[in-house]
């Protein structure tokens, strides 16, 4: 399955943004080709003009040139998008400041209030020495924010102020800042539903190997054999006995005897094809780690303003933001869970395998990352999502013989809590903040981890 070839990622094309609202001419946006899986507009931020040019009443934002550096865009009409984020040239540079956006709803034509974008996002990334991080394509980035279908945007980024009395100079903003406007597009059509992918010419997304699937799609889908047939939109749920039998069959005799009694029931998992991944965007092939010793739980910090039916679109947007905007090889997380408890396959390579992710900088080796879609700093984590994390970890950790209530030792790849090479004892189910100084997965979700460990172990059948 690893011998499949993938087509090249298309080069972004330039497109002009329309003039709106009798406002200044917008900057040219660089947009990747429109595909069934969406598009990305990338617009450079500029120094904001005089006080007269600025929208008043922006909380926390200075309109005085003598105060901290401020960049942004004035209100303008753009092509439809649903997710926003800010990126900059150097991934090692931190954005010390505040990012705010407001957007215009496509349906109602009303502008939102100003919304804060989470600026601390570098810890959701590959390890410092990982090949993925050294590709030359990786950028610094804020967390993305889901805003729903929109056709207007205004953004302001202000650096931190200096210390009173001139003790510390104001921070400088990173160079090359741009706002990324991501349209998730529609899901790929079902196999053979429109005939476009079934002929000998295929489509422009890569060579066709089966009707309705390109080479890249087949590569990704084949990684889940024999748990689901090629081209499946979901991997069905199994009870504990059938999950164990399935795992033994799939492992071709390599599943350890110690793991067999404690494999939890497999939850239903929506595959990458099921949520509409454009497989031509990611790098070809897969990268694996040795085993799965721990599961790190995250929140996406994309906000809670989404309906469960929109979760596939949110994931497609995250995928584009991670790959095209941030420069990663694929979606960073191994799994995603929406607030209704649906589990989704994340990074390609096979749901039962030890796929190397880019989710917990310093601790991606021998671990898996599960992201709950939403922001759970002050909002309670939905019970359905918490239960889904327990069900998923009971199954996946069980495949590798891990007790969800136990502790394990991971070697740090480097970060702001633990130096590179340090052996760190952690809970088998940990929060992102256990490996890196961060708010993730939010106070409310982090507080649910003790009960998640207990539920996960019970589902495994542990005494």
């Amino acid at each position: 399955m690893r011998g499949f070839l993938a087509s090249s990622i298309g080069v972004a094309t330039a497109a002009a943004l329309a003039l709106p609202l009798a406002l200044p001419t917008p900057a040219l946006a660089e947009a990747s080709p429109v595909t069934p899986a969406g598009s990305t507009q990338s617009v450079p931020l500029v120094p904001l003009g005089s006080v007269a040019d600025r929208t008043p009443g922006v909380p926390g934002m200075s309109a005085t040139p003598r105060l901290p550096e401020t960049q942004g865009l004035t209100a303008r009409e753009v092509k439809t998008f649903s997710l926003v984020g800010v990126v900059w040239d150097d991934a090692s540079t931190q954005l010390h400041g505040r990012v705010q956006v407001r957007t215009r709803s496509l349906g109602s034509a009303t502008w939102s209030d100003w919304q804060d974008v989470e600026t601390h996002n570098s810890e959701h990334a590959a390890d410092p020495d990982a090949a993925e991080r050294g590709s030359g394509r990786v950028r610094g980035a804020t967390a993305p924010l889901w805003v729903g279908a929109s056709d207007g945007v205004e953004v302001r980024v202000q650096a931190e102020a200096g210390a009173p009395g001139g003790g510390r100079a104001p921070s400088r903003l990173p160079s090359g800042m741009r706002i990324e406007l991501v349209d998730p597009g529609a899901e790929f059509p079902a196999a053979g539903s429109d005939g476009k992918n079934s002929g000998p010419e295929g489509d422009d997304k890569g060579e066709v190997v089966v009707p309705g699937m390109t080479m890249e799609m087949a590569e990704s889908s084949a990684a889940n054999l024999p748990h689901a047939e090629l081209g499946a939109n979901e991997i069905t749920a199994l009870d504990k006995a059938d999950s164990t039998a399935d795992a033994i069959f799939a492992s071709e005799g390599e599943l350890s005897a110690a793991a067999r009694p404690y494999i939890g029931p497999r939850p239903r998992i929506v595959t990458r094809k099921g949520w509409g991944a454009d497989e031509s965007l990611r790098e070809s092939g897969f990268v694996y780690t040795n085993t799965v010793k721990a599961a790190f739980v995250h929140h996406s910090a994309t906000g809670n303003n989404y309906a469960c039916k929109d979760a596939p679109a949110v994931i497609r947007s995250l995928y584009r933001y991670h790959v095209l905007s941030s420069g990663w090889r694929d979606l960073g997380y191994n799994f995603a869970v929406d607030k209704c408890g649906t589990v989704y396959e994340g990074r390609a390579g096979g749901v039962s395998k030890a796929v190397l992710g880019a989710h917990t900088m310093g601790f991606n080796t021998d671990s898996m990352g599960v992201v709950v879609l939403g922001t759970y700093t002050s909002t309670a984590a939905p019970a359905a999502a918490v239960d889904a994390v327990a069900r998923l970890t009971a199954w996946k950790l069980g495949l590798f013989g891990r007790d969800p209530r136990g502790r394990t030792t991971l070697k740090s790849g480097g970060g702001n809590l633990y130096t590179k090479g340090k052996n760190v004892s952690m809970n088998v189910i940990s929060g992102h903040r256990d490996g890196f100084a961060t708010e993730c997965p939010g106070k409310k979700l982090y507080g649910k981890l003790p009960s998640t460990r207990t539920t996960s172990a019970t589902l495994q059948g542990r005494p």
Side-chain angles (χ1 to χ4, degrees):
M1 68 184 71
R2 301 182 68 183
F4 289 111
L5 298 177
S7 62
S8 301
I9 297 175
V11 178
T13 58
L17 301 179
L19 282 172
L21 316 173
L23 293 172
T25 302
L28 292 178
E30 297 173 2
S32 57
V34 176
T35 73
S39 63
T40 303
Q41 302 168 74
S42 184
V43 188
L45 302 188
V46 298
L48 291 180
S50 65
V51 175
D53 294 330
R54 302 184 184 188
T55 303
V58 183
M61 292 297 187
S62 170
T64 305
R66 293 188 300 274
L67 292 181
E69 179 185 10
T70 304
Q71 294 186 25
L73 292 175
T74 54
R76 63 198 55 214
E77 184 175 287
V78 293
K79 294 179 181 178
T80 302
F81 68 97
S82 295
L83 179 139
V84 301
V86 172
V87 301
W88 53 92
D89 293 339
D90 186 356
S92 65
T93 300
Q94 299 293 315
L95 195 166
H96 297 291
R98 188 177 191 184
V99 178
Q100 290 186 310
V101 298
R102 67 186 191 112
T103 56
R104 189 176 68 183
S105 169
L106 180 65
S108 66
T110 58
W111 284 87
S112 71
D113 295 331
W114 287 95
Q115 301 183 77
D116 284 296
V117 177
E118 173 59 58
T119 60
H120 300 292
N121 192 51
S122 62
E123 64 270 21
H124 297 260
D127 291 347
D129 291 341
E132 180 173 358
R133 197 172 182 87
S135 67
R137 300 187 303 273
V138 179
R139 294 174 172 177
T142 67
L145 178 68
W146 177 262
V147 295
S150 305
D151 63 359
V153 67
E154 184 174 10
V155 58
R156 295 179 184 277
V157 182
Q158 187 175 85
E160 284 183 351
R168 175 172 56 84
S171 297
R172 296 289 299 174
L173 294 175
S175 62
M177 292 205 311
R178 313 175 71 88
I179 188 165
E180 304 287 291
L181 307 173
V182 180
D183 172 21
E187 297 179 35
F188 275 101
S193 63
D194 62 2
K196 293 180 180 178
N197 294 331
S198 57
E201 298 299 324
D203 63 8
D204 63 355
K205 305 306 295 179
E207 183 181 346
V208 171
V209 291
V210 295
M213 295 180 69
T214 64
M215 189 75 81
E216 301 97 328
M217 293 170 71
E219 177 191 42
S220 177
S221 183
N224 286 319
L225 295 172
H227 305 300
E229 64 182 11
L230 191 68
N233 289 330
E234 66 176 58
I235 298 170
T236 58
L238 296 176
D239 63 21
K240 190 176 188 307
D242 287 342
S243 290
T244 303
D246 176 75
I248 293 171
F249 176 72
S251 72
E252 298 179 346
E254 295 183 5
L255 186 70
S256 72
R260 295 182 185 189
Y262 301 119
I263 298 172
R266 187 179 71 195
R268 171 180 173 266
I269 303 171
V270 177
T271 64
R272 290 170 63 91
K273 183 174 180 291
W275 55 257
D278 180 348
E279 298 290 357
S280 72
L281 299 182
R282 64 173 175 85
E283 290 186 17
S284 62
F286 315 121
V287 180
Y288 297 96
T289 185
N290 295 320
T291 186
V292 177
K293 299 170 70 175
F296 286 100
V297 178
H298 303 256
H299 68 171
S300 61
T302 48
N304 302 312
N305 187 30
Y306 74 95
C308 292
K309 66 180 179 60
D310 296 325
V314 175
I315 298 170
R316 291 197 302 276
S317 297
L318 282 172
Y319 174 45
R320 291 189 67 90
Y321 188 75
H322 284 182
V323 176
L324 296 185
S325 301
S326 303
W328 302 356
R329 76 182 319 273
D330 194 353
L331 182 68
Y333 307 105
N334 298 104
F335 295 93
V337 174
D338 69 25
K339 58 188 176 183
C340 290
T342 301
V343 178
Y344 302 85
E345 179 184 11
R347 180 163 287 207
V351 295
S352 64
K353 299 173 184 176
V355 179
L356 181 66
H359 48 82
T360 307
M361 190 171 75
F363 293 100
N364 291 303
T365 299
D366 295 343
S367 73
M368 59 182 270
V370 182
V371 64
V372 179
L373 302 179
T375 303
Y376 301 105
T377 304
S378 57
T379 299
V386 175
D387 179 67
V389 172
R391 289 185 289 110
L392 173 62
T393 53
W395 172 71
K396 183 65 182 274
L397 291 173
L399 297 177
F400 294 88
R402 311 301 175 190
D403 184 344
R405 300 166 305 187
R407 294 184 69 82
T408 190
T409 299
L410 297 175
K411 180 177 287 188
S412 172
N416 65 359
L417 275 183
Y418 302 104
T419 57
K420 181 180 177 181
K422 182 177 178 62
N423 289 319
V424 182
S425 176
M426 291 185 174
N427 289 310
V428 169
I429 297 180
S430 286
H432 187 182
R433 63 174 63 183
D434 294 319
F436 203 98
T438 174
E439 287 292 318
C440 185
K443 179 180 178 180
K444 296 294 188 178
L445 180 55
Y446 188 77
K448 293 294 184 180
L449 295 189
S451 62
T452 300
R453 297 180 188 111
T454 301
T455 301
S456 183
T458 299
L459 288 167
Q460 286 186 347
R462 294 185 182 271

